[in-house]
Amino acid sequence: MQDHLPSRSRRQRINRRLRYLYLSAAQWRRQVPVWIAAILIGLVAYVFARGSHWSHDLFFKAYDASPYWSLLITPAGLALAIWIMQRFFPSSAGGGIPQSIAALEPGMHKLREYCFTLKAAFGKVLLTLIGISSGATFGYEGPIVQVGAAIKYSLNRKAAQRHDGAARSFILAGGAAGVAAAFNAPLAGIVFAIEEMGRAFDMRASSTILLSVIVAGLTTFAINGNYNYFGIVHVAMDSKQAWLAIPVCGVVGGLIGGLACRVLLALSSRLPGPLHGWRIRYPVRFAAGCGLALAVIGIISHGSTFGTGYFRARDIIEGHGAALQDYGVLKLISMFVSHISAVPGGMFAPSLAVGAGFGLNMSQLMPFLPQTMVVLLGMVGFFAGMTRAPMTGFVIVMEMTDTSGMIIPLMATALVAASVSRLVARRALYEGQVRLFLPQWQAKAGQIDQPAART
């Protein structure tokens, strides 16, 4: 009897080890789709970024041949984007961020299945690039949030359908990875997920977010190398006078950004006069009309307002913005017009470009300070004022320009701007857009269910 005890104990130990190995292997198998999705997000972000620059260059080749080509290209491009969206990709409508935030709410299973598919992600990329190639004021950084969330959700659909918490984790992680890969700013991706999408943030999702951001970032790094979105900026606040720029840029950026937020939410809710009815009844023709307005603004500004604003903002940061005194105002108007066209596109990069334009104006009020420093503070001030996301604002500007030495001034300006913005706009931009989107989605969800009910 005693001779059998060692063998029984040995079998138990072997069984425990085999069970541990099986559970470990099962856990690794569950992680494989997470890794694959993060790699795909990095690849798509790289393609999206290169496509955005290629689309921008394509438009300006036609513009350089003759500025009046824009009177044809911009209206036709926006009209084409709306026609394609309504015909083939209705789930790709919108900027991407409000849809992603709304999908984090409890009970949004239908919305997730509708907006977070690979088809919707493909449509988002295609339509945004059409908008950019038409010269409209769009960026790809907002749409990449929905694209990243769609890739992550689609490749982990079974787990997401079983657990609501897992679905939210995948959407959060996909959105964060998309921002990180698009800007080459991993910290900004994490901060964005917590700050902008933080109402549904679950600490259990932190490991998924970190893993997705790291893998997506490494993927773009392997393809494109280490780069800074707006280049490397060498600037510091050395003198006591320089600290005067913080309250000036914070207050001005907060006021203008808050007003911009209020206008955007008002335009999202209802257009003034007969424009609202025209957009509903004739969406393709209305988009063409918006394109014509954008072309006129672009010609008046000698082409500076066309596109995402990336190159103009970089020129201003590098001190080459002598001819861009009216850029902030005109770019802001073009951002409004692009938004009401209903063509999918983001406002991340355009808002930073608008902030750079107003930063240039503020630097002229303080000629005794380095222009680049004031421009950076203007960028973060307007962004934080419009989005009321101060942490995302200062982190994203710091990472995109490699100005870690400016972190305290950037942080202070962002906080001042976000506080001032509350005096002007009742709600933050994306919070307000989510409130407007949810009733529209509920109506659409009812329409989607009707055919199924009849059968």
Side-chain angles (χ1 to χ4, degrees):
M1 189 74 173
Q2 293 179 352
D3 293 339
H4 294 287
L5 290 176
S7 60
R8 184 185 302 171
S9 176
R10 191 162 44 251
R11 285 197 301 271
Q12 289 175 346
R13 286 198 301 270
I14 292 172
N15 288 335
R16 282 196 299 269
R17 289 174 182 172
L18 290 174
R19 193 181 305 114
Y20 174 78
L21 290 173
Y22 174 79
L23 293 174
S24 299
Q27 186 175 6
W28 274 103
R29 284 196 302 271
R30 287 194 295 269
Q31 290 295 324
V32 168
V34 177
W35 283 75
I36 293 174
I39 293 171
L40 283 176
I41 292 170
L43 291 171
V44 171
Y46 171 77
V47 172
F48 212 169
R50 298 304 301 172
S52 173
H53 292 312
W54 180 80
S55 301
H56 180 276
D57 293 341
L58 185 66
F59 173 83
F60 272 96
K61 284 182 180 178
Y63 179 85
D64 291 339
S66 173
Y68 298 104
W69 272 115
S70 62
L71 295 172
L72 173 63
I73 294 172
T74 308
L78 296 190
L80 176 64
I82 290 294
W83 183 82
I84 292 175
M85 182 186 75
Q86 293 190 328
R87 185 77 180 269
F88 302 106
F89 303 106
S91 58
S92 302
I97 295 177
Q99 289 76 14
S100 300
I101 296 175
L104 297 172
E105 299 288 341
M108 288 293 162
H109 309 291
K110 292 180 183 178
L111 176 60
R112 295 165 192 165
E113 294 298 318
Y114 182 73
C115 287
F116 298 98
T117 63
L118 295 180
K119 179 182 177 181
F122 175 79
K124 198 69 148 185
V125 173
L126 175 65
L127 296 171
T128 302
L129 291 180
I130 292 175
I132 294 173
S133 65
S134 304
T137 297
F138 291 130
Y140 65 90
E141 298 82 1
I144 195 64
V145 172
Q146 183 181 348
V147 172
I151 293 172
K152 182 71 75 172
Y153 183 86
S154 296
L155 296 187
N156 297 274
R157 177 168 270 104
K158 289 185 179 179
Q161 290 174 340
R162 285 196 300 267
H163 304 287
D164 197 63
R168 291 198 299 269
S169 298
F170 294 138
I171 293 170
L172 277 168
V179 171
F183 283 114
N184 190 35
L187 287 177
I190 295 170
V191 171
F192 170 81
I194 296 172
E195 187 175 41
E196 281 292 358
M197 307 170 79
R199 288 181 298 168
F201 184 74
D202 188 342
M203 289 305 296
R204 290 174 296 180
S206 59
S207 60
T208 305
I209 293 173
L210 285 173
L211 176 63
S212 301
V213 166
I214 291 169
V215 174
L218 286 174
T219 302
T220 54
F221 175 82
I223 300 172
N224 209 31
N226 192 22
Y227 70 98
N228 294 92
Y229 193 86
F230 287 123
I232 298 176
V233 178
H234 301 286
V235 65
M237 300 188 74
D238 296 327
S239 66
K240 293 181 180 180
Q241 289 180 319
W243 292 90
L244 294 173
I246 293 175
V248 173
C249 294
V251 171
V252 174
L255 286 173
I256 300 175
L259 286 172
C261 170
R262 190 164 182 168
V263 171
L264 283 168
L265 290 178
L267 294 175
S268 299
S269 176
R270 184 178 182 84
L271 296 180
L275 294 177
H276 188 74
W278 293 348
R279 183 170 65 175
I280 294 174
R281 290 193 298 270
Y282 313 110
V284 175
R285 279 182 267 179
F286 183 83
C290 292
L292 184 61
L294 289 173
V296 172
I297 296 171
I299 292 172
I300 292 172
S301 67
H302 304 288
S304 66
T305 59
F306 287 122
T308 64
Y310 164 79
F311 294 102
R312 301 300 179 187
R314 187 161 186 165
D315 288 341
I316 294 172
I317 291 171
E318 294 175 349
H320 308 308
L324 299 173
Q325 308 303 324
D326 300 327
Y327 179 74
V329 174
L330 293 175
K331 191 64 175 174
L332 181 59
I333 295 172
S334 71
M335 187 170 73
F336 291 155
V337 176
S338 299
H339 174 71
I340 66 174
S341 72
V343 174
M347 290 184 286
F348 256 78
S351 65
L352 292 171
V354 171
F358 285 119
L360 177 64
N361 299 140
M362 286 184 279
S363 70
Q364 294 172 339
L365 300 176
M366 297 175 283
F368 51 89
L369 298 179
Q371 177 181 305
T372 299
M373 181 193 71
V374 180
V375 169
L376 292 179
L377 295 181
M379 291 171 68
V380 75
F382 179 81
F383 181 89
M386 191 181 80
T387 63
R388 210 176 295 168
M391 288 194 298
T392 303
F394 78 78
V395 170
I396 211 166
V397 172
M398 180 193 69
E399 284 195 289
M400 288 192 305
T401 55
D402 195 22
T403 52
S404 56
M406 286 279 292
I407 184 170
I408 298 300
L410 291 171
M411 186 187 305
T413 304
L415 290 173
V416 171
S419 300
V420 172
S421 175
R422 288 184 175 88
L423 304 175
V424 181
R426 184 179 174 187
R427 290 193 175 92
L429 178 62
Y430 294 124
E431 176 192 355
Q433 288 183 334
V434 170
R435 286 176 175 266
L436 293 171
F437 170 75
L438 285 175
Q440 297 172 4
W441 161 248
Q442 290 167 355
K444 181 181 282 290
Q447 295 174 359
I448 293 173
D449 286 341
Q450 285 176 5
R454 287 195 297 268
T455 58

